[in-house]
Amino acid sequence: VSMSMDETNHWDRIALTMPVSRRDMVLSKYVLCLLAVLLSGVLSVLCILYGTLGQAVLFDPRLFLMPGLIITAIILPLQFKFGVNNARLIFLALFFGWFFIGEPLLDRNGYSGIADLLNLGISMSLPGWCLIILAIMALSVLLSLKAYAKRQF
């Protein structure tokens, strides 16, 4: 939502006249997204503890933080490169392409696709999981910085 409003109101053009670097603009979006993912994680824990979802399996932070962080790592570089609306379409194409093309191909070859990825994420130790997510996020930030540096306003 933040980037959509920024794009609609041409905020980037205005913000870059202030003493704010392009790097700061990119990193602020990542901080905002990470805070949103962490807040959703806290709310998920509260729902599990005090709501009707009191199953211990759902309490694993890898299950409710991993998807948000991975989606953030994919969508932000696309938004910085192609703009919000085009990035949304590209992300939907990737998402549906995975489930309608990638999953059936994996199933045909004996893999269960997304279920294997979830099992890998759960069976991996928390430090290993954190290192992989940090590497993915670092690559995402680098791609976003590169895309935003070339963008004209």
Side-chain angles (χ1 to χ4, degrees):
V1 173
S2 170
M3 287 187 74
S4 178
M5 294 300 290
D6 288 355
E7 192 171 287
T8 301
N9 296 311
H10 306 287
W11 170 249
D12 293 321
R13 188 179 323 156
I14 297 166
L16 291 174
T17 63
M18 295 184 241
V20 176
S21 69
R22 288 179 181 249
R23 180 179 180 272
D24 294 338
M25 295 285 288
V26 170
L27 294 178
S28 71
K29 298 301 178 190
Y30 276 89
V31 168
L32 181 65
C33 286
L34 291 175
L35 289 174
V37 168
L38 290 174
L39 179 63
S40 69
V42 168
L43 291 175
S44 296
V45 168
L46 291 175
C47 287
I48 291 167
L49 291 176
Y50 299 109
T52 59
L53 302 173
Q55 297 177 1
V57 173
L58 295 175
F59 194 69
D60 192 338
R62 293 170 282 200
L63 289 177
F64 53 78
L65 292 177
M66 185 169 57
L69 292 172
I70 290 174
I71 289 170
T72 297
I74 294 170
I75 197 75
L76 283 180
L78 293 174
Q79 288 178 341
F80 284 116
K81 175 76 175 171
F82 301 108
V84 175
N85 291 327
N86 292 334
R88 197 173 293 142
L89 293 174
I90 293 168
F91 182 76
L92 285 174
L94 291 171
F95 181 78
F96 285 114
W98 171 260
F99 281 102
F100 290 118
I101 297 170
E103 282 286 324
L105 288 175
L106 288 173
D107 284 343
R108 216 178 302 159
N109 293 323
Y111 299 102
S112 58
I114 198 74
D116 284 346
L117 289 175
L118 286 174
N119 287 333
L120 174 67
I122 293 170
S123 66
M124 188 183 313
S125 69
L126 192 56
W129 179 83
C130 289
L131 286 174
I132 288 175
I133 291 296
L134 282 173
I136 291 170
M137 290 303 285
L139 178 63
S140 177
V141 168
L142 290 175
L143 291 173
S144 293
L145 287 170
K146 185 176 180 181
Y148 199 66
K150 293 180 181 180
R151 199 145 177 218
Q152 298 293 321
F153 300 104

